[in-house]
Amino acid sequence: MKRTLDPWGSAAIDDYSKLFGEFGISSFESLIGEIPDPHPYMKRGIIFGHRDYYPILDAILKGKPFSVMSGFMPSGKAHLGAKMVMDEVIWHQKMGGDAFVGIADMEAYSVRGISWERCRKIGVDEYILSLIALGFAPDGHIYFQSDTPSVKDLSFELGVEANFSELSAIYGISPSTKIAHMISILAQSADILNPQLKEYGGPKPVVVPVGSDQDPHIRLVRDIANRMRMFKVEEREDCISVRSKDATADMLKAVAKQVGEETKVYEGHIDIYGGCDLDQIEEIVRNIEVDFGGYGFLMPSSIYHRFMSGLTGGKMSSSISDSYIALTDDPKEASDKVKRAKTGGRVTLDEQKKLGGESEKCTVYELMLFHLVDDDAQIKEILTDCKNGVMMCGSCKKLASELMFRFLTEHRENRERAKERLDEYGIDKK
Ligand code: TRP
Ligand code: SF4
């Protein structure tokens, strides 16, 4: 008798659910019904959580401006985990987002001691070519932190709002930490806020796709974004109050004038009566802030994905090359890694026929679910056959390794084509 199965059901999601209550990450699942043509990562519970995704969803649905942003430290090979971020950036770009990808060479240089030259080479060879090969469109922005004045200037500005003790709490900074390391941390926050600068059209929702371990960075940048504001808008029982944090009397007057409702102007704040719309006032205030030389930042949003396990079981580790697959791996070698990967197979074939495989412990299943099988019906069939003991690990691995070979061969060809198109992305060939 066939059992019915939840195709994406994985025990792993439980490990993540504690992030919901404890850290204020919300479950992504309830949003999926509203998203037009959701990415397989969304449908399959791989993107499991978010912080403040609603403004992004609203922008997608209404065709309003928004951005997607992520960064990569050019310190080694780009593996399938980096591919997930790239896929998520590209998906949001297709949904209308202005896309930004920063190569965090300031971070690699200051934290990992990698020379500028190597940063450049790894940035292009490992990250940028694969990003383009996977479908990043040329109207997006790819940049190196170190040659992007807007990011560097903004890092300095953000340094006015962030202090030593909070960086040390989040990043394990100690008194002997190099100053350049701390600057590179601010550069990451600057990367994320950069799409909201005037030169890119001003304040707008920005979503940052990351692994859940990156949430502390997101919380920091949301905090800093808030502190950079010159006004604070608060909803009161009978009015909306616009308070100055750093705004002049002229700016408050400008707000009062534009709101056009019944307002009371006090020193340091104004109260607005007459049932006006909070969002509308937020927008007026934000625009005035920008007119007067402020930033008017919205707090960035984020989405969180589950991690893949290492192919050898346990975590992926850059020092164990069998544990991960890099986008530049030789297709034959990578497909051999798949053949050696840890499965959820039982000890004997008989047992497997009787009990079925343990797909939730199987790294080969994970590879197919995350990367190799786009077709929902096909992945469901694989899972059913595994669980019902109809398919054995040998043939399953063979399928996965063939799919891996095909994917990497095609990716390699696309990377070759990308090499010819670097100038469309403003990257000079070196
Ligand atoms: N610090 C990230 C890493 O170690 C890279 C990074 C730099 C980044 N800027 C970013 C990630 C902005 C997300 C958003 O990989
Ligand atoms: Fe994994 Fe496939 Fe074996 Fe199931 S049959 S445990 S999915 S390798």
Side-chain angles (χ1 to χ4, degrees), residues 158-395:
L158 301 182
V160 174
E161 293 295 343
N163 66 38
F164 180 86
S165 58
E166 73 194 329
L167 291 202
S168 57
I170 299 176
Y171 297 89
I173 301 276
S174 75
S176 62
T177 301
K178 305 279 191 290
I179 306 280
H181 181 163
M182 298 176 66
I183 295 175
S184 79
I185 289 170
L186 292 176
Q188 167 157 348
S189 290
D191 280 332
I192 293 173
L193 294 172
N194 183 55
Q196 299 196 58
L197 295 181
K198 247 188 191 164
E199 57 189 289
Y200 300 114
K204 67 174 76 61
V206 179
V207 61
V208 188
V210 288
S212 50
D213 63 324
Q214 302 281 310
D215 186 51
H217 310 219
I218 300 293
R219 274 185 288 166
L220 175 71
V221 65
R222 284 170 61 84
D223 240 34
I224 296 179
N226 232 341
R227 284 182 227 161
M228 300 292 285
R229 293 296 311 273
M230 299 164 112
F231 290 106
K232 191 176 164 98
V233 180
E234 290 171 336
E235 199 158 26
R236 292 286 164 80
E237 231 164 68
D238 55 343
C239 68
I240 291 173
S241 179
V242 178
R243 310 202 143 252
S244 157
K245 290 165 59 186
D246 212 3
T248 60
D250 279 353
M251 293 174 71
L252 272 175
K253 267 188 227 143
V255 173
K257 196 167 151 213
Q258 263 210 38
V259 169
E261 302 250 355
E262 188 194 330
T263 58
K264 281 190 190 150
V265 182
Y266 301 91
E267 181 151 347
H269 77 279
I270 61 174
D271 288 342
I272 303 162
Y273 296 87
C276 35
D277 182 59
L278 182 66
D279 288 345
Q280 223 173 333
I281 290 178
E282 288 267 20
E283 193 175 322
I284 289 171
V285 166
R286 205 179 293 285
N287 289 336
I288 285 170
E289 195 172 309
V290 173
D291 286 347
F292 281 78
Y295 294 105
F297 289 136
L298 275 87
M299 285 198 281
S301 313
S302 50
I303 50 176
Y304 301 95
H305 53 246
R306 284 162 46 189
F307 292 108
M308 288 198 332
S309 335
L311 298 183
T312 44
K315 275 192 179 176
M316 276 194 206
S317 158
S318 53
S319 54
I320 309 171
S321 94
D322 257 10
S323 76
Y324 67 89
I325 283 166
L327 288 168
T328 48
D329 272 356
D330 174 71
K332 175 78 176 68
E333 278 167 29
S335 68
D336 287 345
K337 280 187 202 178
V338 176
K339 286 190 192 133
R340 289 194 293 270
K342 180 180 162 285
T343 70
R346 306 283 178 175
V347 185
T348 64
L349 282 185
D350 268 356
E351 211 176 295
Q352 182 143 355
K353 280 181 191 152
K354 220 184 295 160
L355 303 170
E358 294 182 283
S359 59
E360 56 292 334
K361 292 185 187 164
C362 178
T363 64
V364 176
Y365 181 68
E366 233 177 27
L367 277 178
M368 294 188 284
L369 180 69
F370 279 59
H371 298 287
L372 299 175
V373 178
D374 265 353
D375 179 12
D376 289 346
Q378 193 190 353
I379 193 79
K380 193 163 182 167
E381 189 183 316
I382 290 169
L383 182 70
T384 310
D385 287 351
C386 167
K387 282 290 177 204
N388 289 318
V390 173
M391 183 168 57
M392 298 296 116
C393 294
S395 56

Side-chain angles (χ1 to χ4, degrees), residues 20 101 109 133 150 152 186 211 235 238 260 328 345 362 392 415 425:
F20 295 157
V101 171
Y109 181 82
S150 63
K152 291 201 281 189
L186 292 176
E235 199 158 26
D238 55 343
T328 48
C362 178
M392 298 296 116
R415 282 172 50 90
Y425 296 81

